[in-house]
Amino acid sequence: MKFAKRYQEILMTENFPEQWMICMVQYKKLKKLINPVVDELVNFGLLSLDIEEETTNSSAELDFINKAVSSLQLEAANQSKEKDIILDYEIEGSLEKFSTYVVVDSSDETRYNSIVSVLASPPPEENVTDADCTELTKTENMHKQIKIRLKNDFKFFQLLSNELLLLWALNDKLQEEINKELKFLSTILGTVINPTRKKNDLYIWREIFQLFVESKIFTESPTSKVCNDIKTIQEKFKNFTEKVETEFKVKKRFNLQQSSDFYVKFIHLNQFIIKLIYFYTINQMAIRKILKKFDKQTKLSAQEHFPHLLTDNINSKQYSALISTRGGAGVLSASSKPVILNVSSISRQVVYQFGAILFDIIPHIDDYTCPVCTYISYKPIRLDCGHVFCIRCLIKLQRMGQDGCPLCRQQVVLRACSENLDDKLAEYLKLYFPLETKEKQDLNESELVKERYQRVFKKSSDCVVS
């Protein structure tokens, strides 16, 4: 199936919101604008059988062009064979106002004069526009250059640029909506997990969020990089919901109706985000496909130069969210390639927003464990260096005469006393981790009983009956 038909079917069957559909890439319309560019190049004598025959002489050259690894420097691709004409492509200016040029470098005097004569011929009156101007220069060697400002390719890129602006503006608006919804959900979550309430759902939501993070729905394991494969994202989310509802049995475990309502909203928000990522993924594919088709038919290098035009706007909040370079944001090197529509940034924003706005509301046990015993820091002792340990482990360190902090090695252990007890943290842990605190308390008491028994047993064994 041709991409244009497949693209249209996806957009129609997925039931994207009307607001989104207005911003979709008009693939068919862009495709129709390529033929006038081809005709214009043929009229100028820049796209002829001679050039096509030369490019087919080497499969490496053809691959070089189609992939747009660089501008069309055919001479560099096959230095052993002199070419009579070399095409380069330039796109100058900013996204809102730019110009496109074809730079013709010719060593053939006849070919050069032929192109000049075509350019010297006045076009029909109705076609005379600012885009018809040309610039002619001569190089120091035998080559001569003609810089031609095309008209029809400008129309192509103008439409593509406008659609990119629409997509970026839509993303900004939707990200604001997601952020607003997350903040609303955070208020509900704060209520249902409130540990001061006699009935709350603190522990069940801690389990759900822990599973969500471990599922890495919007990231890839084990690197934690953002995931771009929409099918993978959908499959991970499906597995997450099935496990929550079948293994966790959340509907039966929730103590509050508000938690059930929150869960429904949380699932719907994730479905909305996944649909958004899918929408931008297929639009990204459409842009990549249309630029590839443009290069294939015109023998130019839009795939290389058009993305570089976008990076001129990299400092704009609106643009930087969806433009990236493999060489670093806003930094282009010889090997770096800009990405026109960076779907990864959407996933990255989602991961950050979930963590900063929602997940951080529920404290995680890993942030409050004693580095020595790895249990919760029951009766936490904050040393002068700032590191926190449970009181039981600190006493053991002092008994062994170890003065260095196990984390930073500062000599602060032996001088620690009751003043180092962090009362506020102790109350906080008791409030948000009542089960873990009780477990650690029981463990400490069990150790104390064992130590006392050992001391008594040792004393009794030292007794001598005469």
Side-chain angles (χ1 to χ4, degrees):
M1 182 185 296
K2 291 186 177 180
F3 176 76
K5 185 177 180 181
R6 179 187 168 205
Y7 175 67
Q8 200 65 27
E9 286 184 358
I10 292 175
L11 291 176
M12 294 305 171
T13 56
E14 288 298 322
N15 295 320
F16 291 118
E18 184 178 352
Q19 180 190 23
W20 299 12
M21 295 295 289
I22 295 174
C23 302
M24 61 176 275
V25 172
Q26 302 178 63
Y27 184 85
K28 286 186 176 180
K29 191 171 182 179
L30 286 165
K31 185 179 176 182
K32 290 179 180 179
L33 290 176
I34 297 178
N35 286 335
V37 180
V38 174
D39 295 338
E40 191 173 13
L41 291 170
V42 171
N43 290 336
F44 281 136
L46 302 178
L47 197 61
S48 65
L49 292 176
D50 292 336
I51 298 179
E52 292 174 354
E53 288 172 359
E54 287 174 357
T55 57
T56 56
N57 286 336
S58 170
S59 60
E61 289 178 2
L62 185 59
D63 182 68
F64 186 74
I65 296 171
N66 289 341
K67 291 186 177 180
V69 177
S70 70
S71 58
L72 287 172
Q73 298 294 341
L74 303 181
E75 186 176 38
N78 189 1
Q79 296 180 359
S80 61
K81 182 176 180 179
E82 184 180 9
K83 300 287 187 287
D84 71 323
I85 184 169
I86 301 173
L87 299 183
D88 195 6
Y89 201 43
E90 294 181 3
I91 303 179
E92 301 175 349
S94 64
L95 190 60
E96 290 84 358
K97 186 177 181 180
F98 60 88
S99 301
T100 55
Y101 298 93
V102 174
V103 180
V104 184
D105 191 335
S106 178
S107 61
D108 188 299
E109 185 74 21
T110 304
R111 191 67 174 277
Y112 174 81
N113 292 332
S114 173
I115 297 173
V116 171
S117 64
V118 173
L119 294 174
S121 302
E125 187 65 26
E126 63 271 18
N127 291 332
V128 175
T129 67
D130 292 339
D132 290 321
C133 69
T134 62
E135 298 179 14
L136 281 64
T137 60
K138 294 183 179 180
T139 59
E140 296 180 357
N141 54 26
M142 297 300 293
H143 287 249
K144 298 179 180 180
Q145 286 187 345
I146 309 172
K147 190 174 183 180
I148 306 172
R149 188 192 232 176
L150 299 179
K151 176 178 64 175
N152 291 309
D153 67 334
F154 178 82
K155 295 179 180 179
F156 174 88
F157 290 115
Q158 188 176 45
L159 176 59
L160 183 57
S161 300
N162 289 337
E163 292 181 350
L164 280 170
L165 288 172
L166 285 174
L167 286 169
W168 291 336
L170 175 64
N171 176 70
D172 284 347
K173 183 177 181 180
L174 294 178
Q175 289 297 333
E176 288 179 3
E177 291 180 6
I178 293 172
N179 190 276
K180 184 178 179 181
E181 180 66 13
L182 282 171
K183 288 182 178 179
F184 170 71
L185 290 177
S186 68
T187 59
I188 301 176
L189 181 64
T191 301
V192 299
I193 69 162
N194 188 349
T196 61
R197 296 180 61 168
K198 187 175 181 180
K199 285 187 177 182
N200 64 70
D201 290 314
L202 173 62
Y203 275 91
I204 180 59
W205 276 112
R206 183 176 286 144
E207 290 178 37
I208 293 173
F209 286 169
Q210 180 64 27
L211 177 62
F212 187 89
V213 173
E214 292 174 353
S215 298
K216 297 184 180 295
I217 296 171
F218 299 104
T219 57
E220 295 177 353
S221 300
T223 59
S224 293
K225 293 181 180 179
V226 292
C227 183
N228 295 324
D229 186 358
I230 187 64
K231 290 184 178 180
T232 302
I233 292 175
Q234 291 171 335
E235 186 64 27
K236 287 180 178 180
F237 182 69
K238 180 182 177 182
N239 293 336
F240 163 76
T241 54
E242 288 179 352
K243 189 170 184 178
V244 168
E245 294 173 8
T246 57
E247 295 185 22
F248 284 22
K249 298 179 180 179
V250 291
K251 293 181 179 179
K252 293 182 178 180
R253 291 180 60 189
F254 284 144
N255 294 313
L256 304 170
Q257 179 60 40
Q258 285 177 298
S259 282
S260 298
D261 298 338
F262 176 86
Y263 177 74
V264 173
K265 293 180 182 295
F266 178 72
I267 295 299
H268 286 171
L269 178 60
N270 276 276
Q271 291 171 338
F272 174 84
I273 293 170
I274 292 172
K275 198 165 191 174
L276 174 64
I277 293 174
Y278 188 28
F279 175 78
Y280 274 88
T281 299
I282 60 177
N283 275 278
Q284 181 188 48
M285 185 185 302
I287 293 171
R288 186 169 61 247
K289 289 280 187 181
I290 199 63
L291 287 175
K292 184 177 180 181
K293 183 175 285 291
F294 181 92
D295 286 354
K296 183 177 181 180
Q297 294 186 19
T298 64
K299 301 298 184 291
L300 297 175
S301 50
Q303 293 180 89
E304 175 70 15
H305 289 80
F306 186 67
H308 280 260
L309 172 69
L310 304 184
T311 56
D312 292 339
N313 304 278
I314 199 71
N315 292 324
S316 168
K317 174 188 174 183
Q318 179 182 16
Y319 302 150
S320 61
L322 287 172
I323 305 176
S324 71
T325 60
R326 295 175 188 174
V331 181
L332 290 177
S333 61
S335 60
S336 63
K337 292 184 180 181
V339 180
I340 294 178
L341 197 60
N342 187 17
V343 179
S344 299
S345 67
I346 300 177
S347 299
R348 192 176 296 109
Q349 285 175 315
V350 169
V351 173
Y352 172 78
Q353 287 176 320
F354 269 109
I357 301 176
L358 210 57
F359 296 162
D360 286 353
I361 294 177
I362 301 180
H364 197 277
I365 186 65
D366 290 345
D367 297 327
Y368 301 98
T369 55
C370 172
V372 177
C373 65
T374 69
Y375 284 89
I376 193 169
S377 298
Y378 175 67
K379 291 188 177 180
I381 301 296
R382 188 178 299 277
L383 300 179
D384 292 345
C385 61
H387 294 121
V388 178
F389 300 86
C390 70
I391 190 170
R392 184 67 180 159
C393 290
L394 181 74
I395 292 174
K396 289 179 181 180
L397 291 173
Q398 290 180 334
R399 285 177 179 175
M400 292 186 295
Q402 180 177 326
D403 194 22
C405 169
L407 295 180
C408 66
R409 303 306 177 189
Q410 291 188 46
Q411 305 299 303
V412 292
V413 172
L414 295 179
R415 68 170 178 259
C417 60
S418 59
E419 294 181 358
N420 291 89
L421 179 65
D422 194 328
D423 294 320
K424 289 184 178 180
L425 180 58
E427 289 299 320
Y428 180 86
L429 296 180
K430 187 177 180 180
L431 188 64
Y432 280 94
F433 301 96
L435 298 182
E436 292 82 358
T437 301
K438 182 66 168 58
E439 180 186 11
K440 179 60 175 176
Q441 183 180 4
D442 292 343
L443 182 63
N444 287 353
E445 291 176 356
S446 177
E447 285 188 2
L448 285 172
V449 170
K450 185 178 180 180
E451 288 178 0
R452 289 170 183 169
Y453 175 78
Q454 288 176 341
R455 285 199 296 269
V456 171
F457 180 79
K458 184 178 180 180
K459 288 181 179 180
S460 62
S461 64
D462 292 338
C463 294
V464 177
V465 179
S466 55

